[in-house]
Amino acid sequence: MSIYLDYSATTPVDPKVFEAMIPYFKEKFANPSSIHTLGRIVREDVDKARATVAKSIGAEPHEIIFTASGTSSDNMAIRSIAEKFAHRGKHIITSVIEHKAVLQTCKYLEKHGYEVTYLPVDKDGLVSVEDFRNAIRKDTILVSIMLVNNEIGTLQPIKEISAIARKNQIIVHTDAVQAMGKMKIDVGELGVDLLTFSGHKICAPKGIGVLYVDENLKDDMVPLIFGGSQEFGLRAGTENVANIIGLAKACEIVMEDVEKEAAYVKGLRDLFENRILTEIPQTYVNGSREKRVCSVTNIAFKFIEAEALMIYAEEICCSTGSACTSESVDASHVLYAIGVDPVDLHGSIRFSFGRFNTEEEVNRAVEMIKTSVEKLRAMSPLV
Ligand SMILES: *Cc1c(COP(=O)(O)O)cnc(C)c1O
């Protein structure tokens, strides 16, 4: 029986979410844009879902745009603002440890006349607010910094960054994909103009994302996909109704339980981490152990190839690098940026915990890892 410790890559759909979605594959299949009774019923359900999603991050329903994924939301936020505000300037600030959805969008814009500053991070994975302040130029239009990093879990000082950005009339986007469901999120408190999150990281299905757009900015958004007038004319295409309903249910669960769940998940993460660090010699945690989300630990095992360990402890599902880059032989850009010893880059593994994990699983995983590390080190010429 496998032990799933890869919640940062994706999560299982919560049975309550699945249950809520079923009618939309069956009797409630109508197109919400249809004006017949069935269509109108589904439209009302989508509206209710939008209100629930909005409430879960302290937003208004008309500030929520449903997209196809976290990646689509990141693309839309950055490209839309870049296009609309090009007359004011073509400079964007981001960080070196963003998700590829942000980094690759920035790379694309660089090929089209924009300039991007990639802020460095310290050994904890933190962006410096001072560095941000110093990077601001007259032509800076947008800053995009993630709330929580997906590989090491670092929490960035978004509130402070927003405050400075506001004074300089710079629009703020944050990728909150890894923060949603693990901490309370309030867009007003954060002071951001745009915020991304994704369904499949919070026990809703894959293929649904959210872009929050502050109402003052809404008229400045330009669509990237053209067609019908769905999603306020900003994202054409018939709504993925079942996924929208599922996402709303997941957000409802988050609203009810986020603090309790975060404490539970943190308990499991800490138990795992403490046992590994004390029972397996020559291991350490990559990044900050304090300024970090509750669910992730990224551990370096010295003298070990992470892939080999994953083969030995094959019952454990976890990630080397990040899932999105694990097919490439390149080491993680995040671990590289925080200055992990190059030798240890290939011995680092991300374990991420969630709602359905148990203490028994955690303890079983530790035992398996212990045995596997011992075997591998016994064979290694490096030890
Ligand atoms: C998973 C993830 C994304 C991408 O979301 P998808 O819905 O898989 O496209 C973006 N940013 C971060 C930080 C993520 O962890």
Side-chain angles (χ1 to χ4, degrees), residues 1-28:
M1 263 256 290
S2 60
I3 303 173
Y4 190 79
L5 304 181
D6 206 11
Y7 273 73
S8 296
T10 196
T11 61
V13 172
D14 190 299
K16 288 186 215 148
V17 168
F18 183 58
E19 201 63 38
M21 292 172 66
I22 293 171
Y24 300 87
F25 295 107
K26 295 176 161 180
E27 65 275 11
K28 288 190 167 183

Side-chain angles (χ1 to χ4, degrees), residues 269-309:
R269 192 271 314 268
D270 290 348
L271 169 68
F272 178 85
E273 188 174 275
N274 289 330
R275 281 201 62 189
I276 296 278
L277 295 187
T278 51
E279 295 175 37
I280 306 178
Q282 307 267 36
T283 53
Y284 64 89
V285 174
N286 291 313
S288 170
R289 291 183 74 184
E290 285 78 40
K291 293 192 170 164
R292 182 173 59 157
V293 78
C294 61
S295 54
V296 186
T297 178
N298 193 308
I299 299 180
F301 296 85
K302 283 186 112 39
F303 318 115
I304 291 282
E305 278 290 335
E307 275 82 11
L309 181 53

Side-chain angles (χ1 to χ4, degrees), residues 172-188:
V172 185
H173 168 249
T174 191
D175 177 332
V177 172
Q178 294 291 345
M180 187 62 183
K182 291 154 195 160
M183 54 196 263
K184 205 167 168 291
I185 292 180
D186 185 292
V187 287

Side-chain angles (χ1 to χ4, degrees), residues 65 67 72-80 211 221 224 234:
I65 299 168
T67 69
S72 338
S73 298
D74 284 344
N75 270 262
M76 182 171 178
I78 297 167
R79 287 180 60 195
S80 202
L211 181 62
M221 296 301 284
L224 304 181
L234 293 174

